[in-house]
């Protein structure tokens, strides 16, 4: 995929590392701002359930999310995975979708170790059973 040349703000990395290493947040939201840069636009406090998080996602605005996901696998064992959610809703304007999609790799390269990527274009793509089905079984 072609990149857009949009820069990632340095504090995005700081907050991501804080989530990843100290579990200071449940999720982080990143947004392309004015076709110029990607910024951290929201931080979710610990304890937010995945289903409640999905309810807060806007229907018409693309964002990237990193969610620290605790779940039970098919055997009932407790598991944890980072999810990198590329939320690019079908309802967003075509140009906004194009810039968002073309900027994803810049953010992922800057953050590194973002976990399992989930591409979501509508909230049905974020159904918990669907998400768990995309995670490692072991």
């Amino acid at each position: 995929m072609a990149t857009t040349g949009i820069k990632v703000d340095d504090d995005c990395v700081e907050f991501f590392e804080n989530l990843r290493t100290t579990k200071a947040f449940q999720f982080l939201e990143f947004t392309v701002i004015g076709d110029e840069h990607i910024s951290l636009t929201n931080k979710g406090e610990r304890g937010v359930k995945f289903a409640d998080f999905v309810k807060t996602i806007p229907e018409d605005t693309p964002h990237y999310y990193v969610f620290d996901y605790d779940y039970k696998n098919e055997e009932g064992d407790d598991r944890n995975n980072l999810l990198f959610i590329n939320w690019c809703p079908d309802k967003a304007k075509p140009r906004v979708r194009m810039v968002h999609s073309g900027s994803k790799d810049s953010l992922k390269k800057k953050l590194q170790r973002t976990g399992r990527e989930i591409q979501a274009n509508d909230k049905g793509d974020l159904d918990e059973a669907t998400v768990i089905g995309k995670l490692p079984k072991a």
Side-chain angles (χ1 to χ4, degrees), residues 28-100:
L28 300 173
E29 175 187 86
F30 305 96
T31 308
V32 176
I33 305 294
D35 292 355
E36 296 173 11
H37 57 102
I38 297 173
S39 292
L40 177 71
T41 51
N42 194 11
K43 305 177 291 282
E45 294 182 22
R46 294 298 303 175
V48 174
K49 299 293 183 203
F50 189 74
D52 294 331
F53 157 74
V54 170
K55 290 176 188 174
T56 69
I57 295 174
E59 295 282 345
D60 60 353
T61 308
H63 296 282
Y64 312 100
Y65 296 95
V66 175
F67 192 92
D68 188 13
Y69 189 47
D70 296 311
Y71 65 101
K72 292 194 181 290
N73 66 6
E74 293 173 350
E75 291 78 34
D77 298 325
D78 290 331
R79 296 285 184 242
N80 176 271
N81 275 92
L82 281 182
L83 303 177
F84 180 88
I85 301 169
N86 182 15
W87 173 250
C88 194
D90 293 330
K91 294 179 181 179
K93 294 178 181 176
R95 185 179 187 304
V96 173
R97 288 174 50 90
M98 183 177 66
V99 171
H100 175 84

Side-chain angles (χ1 to χ4, degrees), residues 50 69 71 74 81-86 115-138:
F50 189 74
Y69 189 47
Y71 65 101
E74 293 173 350
N81 275 92
L82 281 182
L83 303 177
F84 180 88
I85 301 169
N86 182 15
R116 182 69 58 162
E117 183 172 338
I118 306 292
Q119 173 65 46
N121 300 93
D122 63 52
K123 292 194 178 180
D125 296 332
L126 296 174
D127 173 74
E128 280 201 77
T130 303
V131 170
I132 289 172
K134 295 179 180 183
L135 297 175
K137 303 294 182 220

